[in-house]
Amino acid sequence: MMLARSSSKPSYPRVLVVDDDDAIMRAVARVLDADESIQIIGQTTHAQAALAMVESAKPDVVLMDIHMHGLDPFLACKQISKASQGTAKVLFYTGFPKDNYLDRCLEVGAAGIVSKHSESLRNLAFAIRHVAAGNTYFSPELDKRLVEREDGVPSSRLATLSDREVGVLRELSLGRTQSEIAEALDISERTVNKTVGDLKSKLEVQTINEMLIFAVNEGLVHPELQFVRPRDTSNDA
């Protein structure tokens, strides 16, 4: 006969740690396990293994690195949510915070993203408890990048850029002058100049150099890494 657990005993989030760097995985799990308000129930270096562990161990939160070998972490997030019927919250943990990641995180219904660089492990523990309670959490450096679209849906700065703005930004990153950009995109130099101003406003930067850093970080310099914006279905029949 199984005795009922006392309702006075606090319930702590059960956490599965997933990171393909074994040393980081073990260090993070060890520090978090020392936090009396969190229970580490497993750790693995593979997203596919994490999916299997979710089905067997039933964690409340899956803390998952974004840069993983094998199964794409964002796809894994969707599968984890489906396998757990939404009870397991995925909180991404990354050393490479990008706007593109923000949009993919929102798309797959993850609980948020924590930056490895700007957040202490103490803050990470807070983030875990926060999402376990049904909330979302984005590190401050990421949260300030989120904007609200006209339809009320949050998105990153990158997702708000028009095709022309992305094109001008990519041409700038290739070292082209405004006159060369105008010729390449078949637009006027005046339009290029206005677009550069719009980019500075949207990206909240002051200089061309800051814009170029953004372009490099988001992979816009390389055509094969071109950001693909979700298809607008508002005009569909």
Side-chain angles (χ1 to χ4, degrees):
M1 179 178 180
M2 181 179 294
L3 297 177
R5 299 178 64 181
S6 171
S7 59
S8 62
K9 185 175 181 179
S11 176
Y12 301 134
R14 293 160 48 81
V15 181
L16 171 63
V17 180
V18 189
D19 196 308
D20 65 351
D21 186 315
D22 187 75
I24 292 178
M25 178 194 69
R26 293 182 182 278
V28 170
R30 182 172 61 252
V31 172
L32 289 177
D33 204 35
D35 189 311
E36 295 183 354
S37 64
I38 290 176
Q39 181 182 2
I40 301 298
I41 54 93
Q43 48 192 300
T44 179
T45 57
H46 299 281
Q48 188 64 45
L51 179 59
M53 294 175 73
V54 164
E55 295 174 342
S56 60
K58 303 188 183 311
D60 300 304
V61 178
V62 179
L63 180 66
M64 184 183 297
D65 186 27
I66 289 180
H67 283 252
M68 300 281 292
H69 297 299
L71 183 64
D72 175 76
F74 294 102
L75 176 58
C77 175
K78 294 179 69 173
Q79 294 183 354
I80 286 170
S81 179
K82 182 178 180 180
S84 67
Q85 297 184 326
T87 59
K89 309 301 181 183
V90 175
L91 179 63
F92 287 114
Y93 189 44
T94 182
F96 304 94
K98 298 182 179 182
D99 279 36
N100 198 5
Y101 291 161
L102 281 171
D103 291 309
R104 295 197 68 189
C105 173
L106 293 167
E107 181 185 359
V108 299
I113 304 179
V114 178
S115 169
K116 291 182 180 180
H117 295 312
S118 65
E119 298 271 29
S120 67
L121 288 176
R122 180 178 181 180
N123 287 349
L124 177 59
F126 168 80
I128 289 171
R129 294 192 298 270
H130 194 63
V131 302
N135 306 299
T136 59
Y137 183 91
F138 293 90
S139 290
E141 69 173 282
L142 294 167
D143 186 64
K144 69 181 182 181
R145 299 186 196 178
L146 289 172
V147 296
E148 188 173 296
R149 300 186 328 209
E150 292 183 359
D151 58 5
V153 177
S155 64
S156 75
R157 300 166 302 174
L158 180 61
T160 68
L161 301 185
S162 67
D163 291 339
R164 174 173 291 171
E165 288 165 343
V166 171
V168 169
L169 185 56
R170 181 177 293 111
E171 294 296 323
L172 282 171
S173 69
L174 295 175
R176 296 195 170 118
T177 65
Q178 291 198 9
S179 62
E180 291 172 332
I181 294 172
E183 182 178 357
L185 300 181
D186 194 24
I187 56 179
S188 68
E189 288 190 48
R190 182 177 180 180
T191 299
V192 173
N193 188 59
K194 180 182 183 303
T195 302
V196 169
D198 291 341
L199 281 166
K200 287 181 179 180
S201 177
K202 284 188 175 182
L203 300 180
E204 298 183 340
V205 299
Q206 300 298 320
T207 67
I208 295 293
N209 189 52
E210 289 177 292
M211 289 169 54
L212 299 186
I213 291 173
F214 175 87
V216 171
N217 288 340
E218 295 299 330
L220 296 176
V221 178
H222 306 287
E224 67 273 16
L225 297 179
Q226 180 177 355
F227 172 71
V228 178
R229 191 175 294 100
R231 186 172 66 89
D232 182 4
T233 59
S234 60
N235 295 322
D236 287 0

